[in-house]
Amino acid sequence: MKKFIMSALMIGATAAAQAQNTPVYLDETKPIEQRIDDALSRMTLEEKIAVIHAQSKFSSPGVKRLGFPDLWTDDGPHGVRPDVLWDEWEQAGQTNDSCVAFPALTCLAATWNPQLARLYGESLGEEALYRNKSVMLGPGVNIYRTPLGGRNFEYMGEDPWLASRMVVPYVQGLQSKGVAACVKHYALNNDEEYRHQVNVIVSDRALHEIYLPAFKAAVQEGGAWSIMGAYNLYQGVHNCHNATMLNKILKKDWGFDGVVISDWGGCHDTEEAIKNGLDLEFGSWTNGLSEGASNAYDNYYLALPYKKLIKEGKYTTEELDEKVRRVLRLFYRTTMNRQKPYGFLCSESHYQAALKIAQEGIVLLKNERGLLPLNNPKKILVVGENAIKMMTVGGGSSSLKAQKEILPLDGIKARFADAEVDYARGYVGDTVQSYNGVKVGRSLYETRSQTELTAEAVAKAKDADVVIFVGGLNKSDYQDCEGHDRKSYDLPYAQNEVIEAILKVNPRLVYVNISGNGATLPWIKKVPAIVQAWFIGSESGEAIASVLAGDVNPSGKLPFTWYASLDQCGAHATGSYPGTWREDYKIIDEEYKEGIYVGYRYTDSKGLKPLFAFGHGLSYTTFKLGKVTTNTQHLTPNTQMTFTVPVTNTGKVAGSEIVQLYVAAKQSKVDRPVKELKAFQKVYLQPGETQNVSLTIGVDAVSYYDEAAKGWNAEPGSYEALIGTASDKLPTKITFKLK
Ligand code: BGC
């Protein structure tokens, strides 16, 4: 016993001695801010400069002398991108970096289910941990302003409230694993064409009401640890070093304590970068070959050029220390966080998460003549390139090397194993076989002419019980792809022509659209069933087949307005997109002339009827909303108002409905949208079951951004709450007052 006490005492004494010797910056019992101060005081000028810029395509060097390891970032946002060569975009060819491809963020937004956003973030975080990535470059929350936008598929739709509610749990879920979110692209990167040269001119009101709320929510509610500056300009200055965007709004007004990371190659000037809020520079001289092949990283704007200005006395280390402090904070939250869980890649739970999100995000847009769910068809014909094209490969930085991707045709064959499932290519779109060295699984090689392809599809369609046309966009250039926008709102290739030809011989056609954007659907009246199936990743085929078969009752709702034509969209109707080049052809000014009238706010204001409204989505069952009751007749600046509505599943199968609440101002001294989404709730009900859904709003739901006062203003007076199940299906109207 005595011996035991002696040795325990000795161990205690050694631990105390060790603790005494542990420098503060490594002492986990000390507050992080104290550890940061201590680390900073030990760093040389060279070490400080080193941590604020890249050392490879996706990493920065840490401070090895002090025990801070490299910081690895990676795309994002739909899975963990394969490792690339040190200074190339080409994949490195590892064999342990295949990932689960989660559905694109448009699909996540279409679930209208914040719990799934949390699951998405957690699952992605676990994959990132396994791959030793500490910063995931995503999620993206740029607002869907034009359906031509090449990267809309990576974002969360047109509505600031929906995007805000979905981004917060994604960020929290990811960061709960000790992996930083890098919310992008801050801000106003709403189209891809000329993304490095576009100077956005936008009213303060539209900026604060439409384009910033999701970023603000990600920062203030989600607690995002990093944010990515966008390529484009605002007020004539690039957003990666824009004092208004970064110093004023993000850091001062919102209290952001994380790291501003430049988009890859988005930094253009050392002094602007020093002063205007950029903390960590990535991707300058991105090709690493013709430009910056030697010492590329030393030539970064925040590398030797910065050091030189300090040495010459033009700057003190005040700005530098501030940047390093933020980077150290990121280290303590990620690479130096010893409480992190273990990561794992391609686990069954991640596939389940990807499948669930895909199934809940698929939107049933139209369903007539009882075509869906398919009722034991004996002969199915699948038509379309998108049925056999891997969509996880391509599209820019979100391209992945998925361990598995079930193609729609394979998913349909597996689910309808008792039926005869035939396939016709229908049209040729994009036959490229690889992206950044990642190969597509299935050969898309095709030599037949369009006439032959159409003839084959028509011949096979004649005696099919049902034709499933899997079309839409793909991830090729000028489609749903980074770097450019779509050139047309129409479906590309010969799709419309083939659909029309098939309809002449078989009207039992289900159109499954794969995309992150809307498109014109000229044959819409003749096609009985339309399903929006997004880019849904690894489980694509299984998810689509499960919805077609009715194993899963669709419950997604559109996160954007599906315009009938481009002139229903404010950015196009006002002639604002794509902007006007300045005389020197260096900058293109794009004035957001539609102001706050984006998406349904525009179609509402003009009384236009889109093909499918924001928030629209059908089910295989029916729901009835009962009488709405409220806890009070009025709001005050400090109280909330709750609307309770009983929802009943009046059909024969279980399903989910999304109850939506929009607010309309009855009078105002400024222009107000006809209505704005301010609350929603998804509820799952068995046949015959009723549940009460509660929707709560606060004063922010009636506020607008007052440009003169430079702040939010809630005017006392009358408002209406419009409650229903889509932005064009809001049968209940309740008037209330703000006192
Ligand atoms: C994209 C970013 C991406 C980065 C790194 C840029 O071109 O705009 O979204 O995270 O590349 O791949």
Side-chain angles (χ1 to χ4, degrees), residues 158-273:
E158 73 182 28
D159 185 78
W161 177 259
L162 176 62
S164 300
R165 291 313 95 210
M166 298 304 287
V167 72
V168 168
Y170 180 117
V171 170
Q172 289 170 336
L174 180 63
Q175 295 190 165
S176 73
K177 304 293 171 183
V179 176
C182 184
V183 186
K184 66 194 190 183
H185 306 89
Y186 181 75
L188 299 168
N189 186 181
N190 305 101
D191 48 70
E192 283 295 285
E193 210 59 59
Y194 319 119
R195 59 181 176 166
H196 295 274
Q197 292 99 10
V198 170
N199 175 45
V200 174
I201 300 166
V202 61
S203 69
D204 281 354
R205 192 163 164 215
L207 179 69
H208 287 276
E209 287 188 21
I210 306 293
Y211 297 103
L212 293 186
F215 288 103
K216 185 178 181 186
V219 167
Q220 292 194 326
E221 295 174 58
W225 294 336
S226 70
I227 207 158
M228 185 187 288
Y231 283 139
N232 53 287
L233 302 90
Y234 167 65
Q235 295 178 339
V237 185
H238 282 102
N239 276 333
C240 288
H241 29 71
N242 185 308
T244 309
M245 278 292 176
L246 302 175
N247 289 342
K248 162 89 177 61
I249 298 175
L250 177 67
K251 292 183 174 175
K252 181 162 169 289
D253 297 350
W254 298 351
F256 176 67
D257 69 356
V259 174
V260 174
I261 299 179
S262 72
D263 198 345
W264 270 231
C267 181
H268 300 274
D269 185 88
T270 297
E271 294 206 48
E272 281 188 12

